[in-house]
C-alpha cells in the first residue's frame, strides 16, 4: 500500500476506533430543541419568492453550561437567515431554519441527525462541533450534505457529501505548527476538550503536522465544563512546553486564560476563535492581549458592513465580527451556503446543493478577508472533505482585535 494510502487509512481507523467504544446514553434525556425560524416580520419578503427551503443547523448546546458557545452560534444563524430572507434568500428562495441542540454528547448528536432527516432539510450547516462523528453518517446516508466551516472528526473530514469548508481544526493545528517552527519553538502543548473527536483529532492530526514541522507535541485533555485549568497548565509547564494552545468552547477558553493569569505564565499562547467574546475582555483582556489566533474569520471591510447589517436582527450583538466571533461563525455557516448556491436557478434540493458544492470553484469564505473554498477533494488529499486549509494568523489586542495578520498554507504538513 502506498504511503499516502497508509496515512489516510491510519487516520480513519484511529479516529473511528475510539468512537466505537463510546457507551450508549438515554436518548430521551438528550432531545434538543428543533425550532423553525423564518421572516422576522412575517410579511412579504423583498426579492425572495416561493416555498421556504428547509436548512438545518446543529449546535453544541443544551448541556447546561452557562458560557457555552451554542446559543451564540444560534443567534448568528438566525441573524443571517433574517438578513438573507430580505436580500435574495437561498438561490432566490426564503430560508426556514431548523435548530437542534446536541447536548454535547454523541447520543444527542444522533438525535439531532435523525431530526434533520425527518425535517427533510436540503443541507445541515454549522461552524464546528464535538459530535460530528455521530451526526455525519445519518445525515449523509440520507443524501443530505453536511456542511461545516470547521471539521474535527474523521467522519467530517473524509465522508462523501460531508464538506469542511475551511482548514478549521486541522488547518489551525497546522498553522500553529508552521508558526512554531518559524519561531524556533521546541515543544508545544495543546490543552484540548476531552471529547473523543477533539482529542483524537488533536493527537493524530496534530501529531502529524507538528512532527513534520519538527516540533514536539503533547495533548493535555480537559473535561467539558472545567472551571480551574491551572493543573493542566502546570502539566504543560512541567513537560517543558515552549508554547501552549487551547482547543475548546468559551467556558474552557475562560478557564484557560484565568489559569494562565493565576500562574503568571509568560509562554506564547495560541487561542481559537471561540475564545473571542466580549464577556472575556473586561476581566481578561490583559491576558488575551498578545495571544496568537489562527483564523479564517478575519473579515474585510465589505464583509464587515454586511455582518453589521445582520446584527440589526439580534439584540446586543457586537457589529464587529472579529469581536462577536461565535455569532459571526453561526452567521457565516448560513452565508457560506448562500455563496455556494449563488447563480443557481433550479429547484433547491439536497442533490442540487451537493452538486453545487462539488463543482463550484473559489467560493468566498464569509468573513475571511478573501479566502476561498473549492470542494473537489484536492486541498488535502488524505482528507477528501476538506475544501481549503488556507489560514491567517494574527496577534490579539486586549479587545479581541487581530493585528499583524499573516496568511499560511500548511497543506504540505499533512503529507506522510
Amino acid at each position: 500500500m502506498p504511503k499516502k494510502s497508509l496515512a489516510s487509512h491510519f487516520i480513519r481507523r484511529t479516529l473511528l476506533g475510539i468512537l466505537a467504544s463510546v457507551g450508549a446514553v438515554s436518548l430521551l434525556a438528550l432531545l434538543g430543541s428543533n425550532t423553525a425560524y423564518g421572516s422576522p416580520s412575517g410579511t412579504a419578503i423583498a426579492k425572495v419568492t416561493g416555498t421556504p427551503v428547509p436548512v438545518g443547523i446543529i449546535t453544541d448546546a443544551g448541556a447546561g453550561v452557562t458560557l457555552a458557545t451554542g446559543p451564540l452560534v444560534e443567534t448568528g444563524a438566525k441573524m443571517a437567515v433574517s438578513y438573507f430572507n430580505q436580500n435574495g434568500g437561498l438561490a432566490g428562495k426564503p430560508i426556514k431554519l431548523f435548530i437542534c441542540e446536541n447536548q454535547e454528547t454523541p447520543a444527542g448528536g444522533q438525535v439531532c441527525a435523525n431530526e434533520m432527516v425527518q425535517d427533510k432539510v436540503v443541507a445541515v450547516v454549522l461552524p464546528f462541533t464535538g459530535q460530528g462523528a455521530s451526526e455525519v453518517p445519518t445525515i449523509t446516508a440520507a443524501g443530505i450534505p453536511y456542511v461545516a466551516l470547521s471539521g474535527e472528526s474523521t467522519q467530517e473530514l473524509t465522508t462523501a457529501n460531508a464538506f469542511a469548508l475551511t482548514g478549521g481544526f486541522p488547518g489551525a493545528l497546522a498553522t500553529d505548527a508552521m508558526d512554531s517552527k518559524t519561531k524556533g519553538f521546541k515543544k508545544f502543548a495543546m490543552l484540548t476538550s476531552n471529547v473523543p473527536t477533539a482529542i483524537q483529532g488533536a493527537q493524530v492530526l496534530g501529531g502529524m503536522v507538528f512532527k513534520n514541522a519538527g516540533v514536539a507535541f503533547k495533548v493535555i485533555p480537559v473535561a467539558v465544563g472545567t472551571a480551574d485549568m491551572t493543573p493542566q497548565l502546570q502539566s504543560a509547564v512541567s513537560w517543558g512546553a515552549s508554547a501552549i494552545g487551547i482547543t475548546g468552547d468559551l467556558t474552557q477558553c475562560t478557564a484557560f486564560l484565568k489559569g494562565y493569569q493565576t500562574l503568571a505564565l509568560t509562554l506564547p499562547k495560541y487561542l481559537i476563535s471561540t475564545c473571542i467574546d466580549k464577556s472575556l475582555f473586561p476581566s481578561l483582556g490583559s491576558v488575551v492581549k498578545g495571544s496568537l489566533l489562527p483564523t479564517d474569520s478575519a473579515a474585510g471591510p465589505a464583509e464587515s458592513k454586511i455582518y453589521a447589517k445582520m446584527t440589526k436582527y439580534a439584540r446586543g450583538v457586537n457589529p464587529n465580527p472579529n469581536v462577536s466571533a461565535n455569532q459571526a461563525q453561526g452567521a457565516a455557516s448560513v452565508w457560506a451556503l448562500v455563496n455556494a448556491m449563488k447563480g443557481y436557478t433550479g429547484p433547491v434540493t439536497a442533490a442540487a446543493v451537493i452538486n453545487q458544492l462539488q463543482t463550484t470553484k473559489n467560493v468566498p469564505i464569509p468573513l475571511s478577508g478573501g479566502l476561498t473554498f473549492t470542494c473537489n477533494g484536492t486541498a488535502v488529499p488524505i482528507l477528501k472533505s476538506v475544501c481549503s486549509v488556507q489560514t491567517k494568523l494574527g496577534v490579539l489586542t486586549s479587545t479581541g482585535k487581530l493585528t499583524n495578520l499573516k496568511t499560511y498554507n500548511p497543506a504540505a504538513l499533512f503529507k506522510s
Side-chain angles (χ1 to χ4, degrees):
M1 184 181 293
K3 288 185 177 180
K4 287 185 179 180
S5 297
L6 281 170
S8 178
H9 180 72
F10 174 70
I11 291 171
R12 291 186 179 119
R13 288 298 299 271
T14 301
L15 295 184
L16 288 171
I18 191 70
L19 296 171
S21 67
V22 177
V25 181
S26 172
L27 297 181
L28 293 177
L30 296 169
L31 288 172
S33 63
N34 188 354
T35 308
Y37 190 90
S39 168
S41 63
T43 58
I45 301 171
K47 300 181 182 178
V48 177
T49 60
T51 303
V53 176
V55 173
I57 184 168
I58 300 175
T59 63
D60 288 355
V65 181
T66 57
L67 288 178
T69 58
L72 305 178
V73 168
E74 292 170 20
T75 295
K78 292 175 182 179
M79 291 178 345
V81 167
S82 295
Y83 173 82
F84 285 114
N85 279 353
Q86 300 292 339
N87 293 274
L90 181 64
K93 303 293 189 295
I95 303 168
K96 184 177 183 181
L97 186 66
F98 289 88
I99 298 173
C100 188
E101 298 178 343
N102 64 20
Q103 312 297 306
E104 298 191 69
T105 67
Q110 181 64 67
V111 169
C112 283
N114 289 333
E115 289 191 11
M116 294 293 104
V117 174
Q118 292 167 8
D119 293 329
K120 298 180 180 179
V121 299
V122 301
V124 173
V125 300
L126 65 155
F128 47 78
T129 181
Q131 308 305 328
S134 64
E135 295 166 359
V136 169
T138 297
I139 292 167
T140 56
I144 299 169
Y146 176 98
V147 187
L149 292 183
S150 167
E152 293 184 5
S153 68
T154 190
Q155 286 82 353
E156 292 172 284
L157 302 176
T158 63
T159 303
N161 298 336
F163 304 91
L165 303 185
T166 73
F169 188 43
L173 285 169
T175 297
D176 288 350
M178 286 191 77
D179 193 62
S180 295
K181 178 181 179 179
T182 298
K183 293 174 178 173
F185 299 151
K186 301 300 182 184
K187 290 185 173 183
F188 190 108
M190 179 66 78
L191 280 65
T192 305
S193 181
N194 195 11
V195 296
T197 55
I199 291 293
Q200 291 299 309
Q203 289 175 335
V204 177
L205 295 174
M208 174 189 291
V209 296
F210 275 90
K211 179 180 179 180
N212 287 338
V215 180
F217 182 67
K218 181 179 180 67
V219 175
I220 300 176
V222 181
V224 173
T226 295
D228 181 7
M229 211 175 284
T230 53
Q232 291 86 355
L233 285 164
Q234 187 59 62
S235 175
V237 172
S238 298
W239 178 63
S242 310
I244 52 177
I246 176 69
T247 298
D249 66 9
L250 181 55
T251 302
Q252 291 169 317
C253 289
T254 303
F256 174 87
L257 293 168
K258 286 181 177 178
Y260 187 97
Q261 184 178 54
T262 298
L263 294 173
L265 299 180
T266 58
L267 291 174
K269 57 188 180 301
Y270 291 72
L271 306 183
I272 58 174
S273 61
T274 52
C275 298
I276 310 308
D277 187 79
K278 64 182 180 180
S279 64
L280 293 178
F281 304 138
S283 60
L284 294 169
S286 62
V287 190
V288 171
K289 183 178 180 180
S291 300
L292 295 151
L293 181 75
T295 183
D296 44 49
S297 301
E303 298 169 304
S304 295
K305 287 182 180 178
I306 294 174
Y307 180 75
K309 293 178 180 178
M310 290 182 183
T311 63
K312 294 177 181 178
Y313 292 95
R315 190 173 298 174
V317 177
N318 193 302
N320 181 349
N322 298 323
V323 174
S324 53
N326 293 298
Q327 292 94 334
Q329 291 271 298
S333 300
V334 175
W335 194 345
L337 183 63
V338 171
N339 284 353
M341 298 300 289
K342 185 176 180 180
Y344 177 78
T345 57
V348 182
T349 64
V353 173
I354 290 171
N355 184 65
Q356 281 289 110
L357 286 167
Q358 291 176 336
T359 59
T360 307
K361 297 182 178 180
N362 300 321
V363 179
I365 298 172
L367 303 174
S368 71
L371 302 181
T372 64
F373 66 83
T374 299
C375 298
N376 60 6
T378 62
V380 180
I382 64 170
L383 302 172
K384 293 293 187 181
S385 296
V386 175
C387 304
S388 173
V389 288
Q390 289 185 354
T391 308
K392 296 183 179 182
L393 186 78
V395 180
L396 288 162
T397 69
S398 61
T399 57
K401 181 180 179 181
L402 268 177
T403 62
N404 302 319
L405 281 165
K406 180 179 179 180
T407 299
Y408 283 98
N409 186 355
L413 294 184
F414 291 97
K415 297 178 180 179
S416 58

